[in-house]
Amino acid sequence: MSTAILTGPPPPGSPVEHDLRELGFSVRVADGTAGLTQALDAVPAAERVAVVDPRFVGHRHSLRLGLTDPRFDAAAVPGAVTVLPRERGALAGALTAVAASGAGHAPEAAGRTVAAPPAAGCLADRLATGLDAAGTRLHRPELGTLVAAVPASEAERARAEAAVAAVDEEAVRLRSAVKSRDGFFTTHCISPYSRYLARWCARRGLTPNQVTTASLITALIAAGCAATGTRGGFVAAGLLLLASFVLDCADGQLARYSLQYSTLGAWLDATFDRAKEYAYYAGLALGAARGGDDVWALALGAMILQTCRHIVDFAFNEAHPPAPGGTSGGATALSGRLDRIGWTVWVRRMIVLPIGERWALIAVLTALTTPRITFTVLLIAGGLAGCYTTAGRLLRSRRLPGGAPGTAAALTGLADSGPLAEGVARLRPRAAGSSRTAPLWAMTGTALLLGLLLLPGVAGSWTALAAAGLYALCAGRAVAAEPVRPFDWLLPPLFRCGEYLTFLVLAADSGVNGALPAAFFVVAACAYHHYDTVYRLRGGAGAPPRRLVLATGGHEGRVLVACAAAALWADGQGFTTALAVLGGATALLVLGESIRFWVSSQAPAVHDEGEPA
């Protein structure tokens, strides 16, 4: 429930009360600051409360943006301010300060003559100023062409009402439902239509979570069609994958259109995209197997490549969050100059192969070619995109300082170091050293591990276990100092490459029936854990609890277990069974903790508005 308190009776014919009720508020009218204090005290402590000037003139969507967004504890637009229960005390303090200063106007005059109290005496705006002054984080949404004003005279009111009538509120609302930064295919081929689907869903009371679930079900059906291995099945799979992507766009647009953000929605939105894509990869691999072609290694490689590309982006942004106005010099300056040439923006967004372009490529190739060709083209395109984005981040890192607030904690969480690496780090802590010390340790460990495993006869032998031990030692040395240097963001992607590729190489080398699908399952479980970590950090909730990382062994612990299993059961089904058990245990642990967190009251109400995935 939500309560809106008007600081006086509205002028005759004003729609403000109706608009507030349409937004789900119960409306009360207060009489001066003393009446407002009494009205605030009467609102149950667990409710959202808004204070609105009765002279407010503006679009209903302005009030919606300012007063109903669940992601912010306190927010304001001209003439209105709102707080969630956590900031009720701050609002009461601001009201006390306003009353003590004698700044509040006599609101009862507002109902008789708009010109009586000047707009500078708007009590809601003074409360917002007081919240700001007290250090409360106050969200002020960008209104663009939408109107939100408190007129001080009849003439001003007439001009404000004319401005409201001149702007098509619904058109603005539809435009703002589309993510501001997206890929070419999504922006020009999907969003012009999916936003109307989002509005259709909103008018029928559907929630973003329901649309997200429909997108997942559609993608799973697509994976099932691909698994049939028939040409008709592949064509149906490609069409259904595109339909799933339309729904995937519509769920976010519905959330923005109606401001229906939730903790559960954040969890679903953060994980279902990966679940859909990887389930589709598995479906393609199963379909290929029905035709006598084994492409599980390619499917696993595609999953590893995409996950490592994402972790490069996530880790870099945690280490070097974008600064207002950008940073001059190097790759950043070049990027800024290219932004002034319009067509290069779209070319660069396509080069990075965001989710829209990627899914369109997969769908078309599935329908027209074979799974092997689909995965081969996807790996080549994804590899080129990964080289492009990683090179740009490396060039930027040369000129960016390290040690941004929260960098060490975020990168430590993304590194996912277990008890072995942690023990090495505690045994021999070190100073930060040069800007490349930690990445060199991580790169050395990863190169030694994979280089030895690729030698003939090493994978599946006890030498592989020794290589895993060296990897754990190097990983421990890499994290033996806080990751605050400019290039320390490379640690998480290097560790992901080392861990995931170890599973791929061991399973491919074993030649055991079912080893590659089992490795696919293990990597999927680990990838879920790492994506879950990313979205917790994005929501400001910190990394998963340390007990979960210790229970799952960390990246180096899982590498040791995989190498030991390969050495013990290289020539039998024991290796496949060991991988299945490792994947099942990891999945149970991380899913259980993830579900507990995202459905708890402590989970943040966030929605991904970042880079295209």
Side-chain angles (χ1 to χ4, degrees):
M1 294 293 294
S2 302
T3 298
I5 304 172
L6 295 174
T7 57
S14 171
V16 65
E17 284 188 84
H18 174 73
D19 286 345
L20 289 168
R21 289 193 174 95
E22 285 294 307
L23 294 176
F25 288 92
S26 61
V27 181
R28 304 181 183 183
V29 178
D31 183 13
T33 53
L36 179 56
T37 301
Q38 295 174 355
L40 280 175
D41 291 340
V43 176
E47 286 189 14
R48 172 192 287 274
V49 63
V51 177
V52 183
D53 192 291
R55 299 162 296 170
F56 176 88
V57 175
H59 293 99
R60 183 186 300 171
H61 194 51
S62 296
L63 290 173
R64 179 183 287 108
L65 291 171
L67 304 183
T68 68
D69 197 325
R71 297 173 295 175
F72 307 103
D73 290 337
V77 292
V81 64
T82 184
V83 295
L84 289 176
R86 283 186 291 270
E87 295 294 344
R88 284 283 292 275
L91 181 64
L95 180 58
T96 300
V98 168
S101 69
H105 65 267
E108 55 271 22
R112 296 169 174 78
T113 167
V114 179
C122 174
L123 183 53
D125 287 351
R126 289 188 176 274
L127 290 175
T129 302
L131 288 170
D132 265 331
T136 301
R137 294 185 60 182
L138 193 67
H139 172 64
R140 296 183 183 272
E142 291 287 340
L143 298 181
T145 57
L146 294 174
V147 177
V150 180
S153 66
E154 294 291 353
E156 286 187 13
R157 184 175 186 86
R159 286 195 293 270
E161 289 174 343
V164 170
V167 175
D168 186 342
E169 177 181 7
E170 182 60 22
V172 173
R173 192 178 174 190
L174 273 174
R175 284 198 304 270
S176 62
V178 177
K179 189 185 290 187
S180 59
R181 179 181 172 85
D182 228 327
F184 180 87
F185 180 77
T186 304
T187 300
H188 295 285
C189 300
I190 302 297
S191 292
Y193 314 103
S194 59
R195 57 184 172 183
Y196 293 102
L197 175 60
R199 182 174 67 180
W200 182 89
C201 293
R203 291 177 174 177
R204 282 151 183 81
L206 298 177
T207 66
N209 294 348
Q210 291 170 331
V211 179
T212 301
T213 303
S215 175
L216 174 66
I217 293 172
T218 304
L220 293 178
I221 296 173
C225 291
T228 63
T230 64
R231 178 51 51 195
F234 287 148
V235 172
L239 293 173
L240 286 170
L241 186 65
L242 289 177
S244 174
F245 183 63
V246 171
L247 291 171
D248 182 58
C249 293
D251 68 354
Q253 291 162 357
L254 174 58
R256 286 181 285 273
Y257 182 84
S258 56
L259 298 187
Q260 294 184 72
Y261 304 111
S262 68
T263 56
L264 180 61
W267 175 61
L268 295 177
D269 191 62
T271 57
F272 276 15
D273 278 352
R274 306 289 81 78
K276 289 180 286 189
E277 190 165 358
Y278 300 155
Y280 192 81
Y281 290 174
L284 279 177
L286 289 170
R290 287 181 176 272
D293 191 10
D294 186 355
V295 298
W296 276 105
L298 294 176
L300 180 51
M303 180 165 66
I304 292 172
L305 175 61
Q306 190 55 44
T307 305
C308 290
R309 283 188 57 210
H310 278 150
I311 204 66
V312 165
D313 295 339
F314 296 144
F316 177 83
N317 288 330
E318 288 293 343
H320 305 296
T327 305
S328 62
T332 305
L334 175 61
S335 178
R337 289 194 296 271
L338 288 173
D339 282 343
R340 292 193 286 271
I341 307 174
W343 63 269
T344 67
V345 174
W346 292 116
V347 170
R348 285 181 288 130
R349 290 190 191 179
M350 293 172 69
I351 287 174
V352 301
L353 203 66
I355 187 170
E357 277 75 358
R358 192 167 68 252
W359 282 29
L361 178 67
I362 295 169
V364 171
L365 290 174
T366 298
L368 300 180
T369 66
T370 65
R372 179 171 292 276
I373 293 175
T374 300
F375 282 126
T376 301
V377 174
L378 182 61
L379 283 166
I380 293 171
L384 292 174
C387 290
Y388 171 79
T389 53
T390 304
R393 276 137 176 66
L394 288 171
L395 288 173
R396 284 173 168 84
S397 297
R398 295 173 56 204
R399 297 178 179 272
L400 292 174
T407 291
L411 292 182
T412 298
L414 290 174
D416 192 31
S417 298
L420 292 174
E422 191 179 68
V424 172
R426 280 202 303 263
L427 185 65
R428 291 191 59 192
R430 60 174 177 81
S434 75
S435 62
R436 297 170 179 82
T437 300
L440 282 176
W441 275 110
M443 192 177 300
T444 299
T446 300
L448 280 173
L449 173 64
L450 298 176
L452 288 171
L453 289 179
L454 289 171
L455 292 176
V458 172
S461 71
W462 293 108
T463 305
L465 188 61
L470 287 174
Y471 172 76
L473 177 64
C474 291
R477 297 302 297 149
V479 298
E482 279 197 330
V484 294
R485 306 288 287 181
F487 288 95
D488 284 357
W489 61 268
L490 285 166
L491 297 183
L494 285 169
F495 291 152
R496 295 298 82 76
C497 285
E499 178 186 3
Y500 296 168
L501 288 175
T502 294
F503 288 110
L504 172 58
V505 172
L506 290 175
D509 184 79
S510 71
V512 176
N513 185 37
L516 279 168
F520 188 97
F521 174 49
V522 175
V523 173
C526 296
Y528 176 87
H529 169 49
H530 295 136
Y531 279 111
D532 183 59
T533 301
V534 164
Y535 284 97
R536 290 186 192 223
L537 292 170
R538 281 188 168 186
R546 188 64 190 160
R547 65 178 183 276
L548 176 66
V549 178
L550 296 176
T552 56
H555 65 94
E556 80 286 357
R558 292 187 292 271
V559 165
L560 275 167
V561 169
C563 289
L568 287 170
W569 302 295
D571 299 324
Q573 287 298 315
F575 180 56
T576 300
T577 303
L579 289 180
V581 170
L582 177 60
T586 303
L588 285 174
L589 287 169
V590 300
L591 274 173
E593 165 57 28
S594 179
I595 292 171
R596 181 208 64 78
F597 170 77
W598 287 106
V599 301
S600 71
S601 58
Q602 289 76 33
V606 297
H607 188 76
D608 180 19
E609 301 290 347
E611 298 289 333

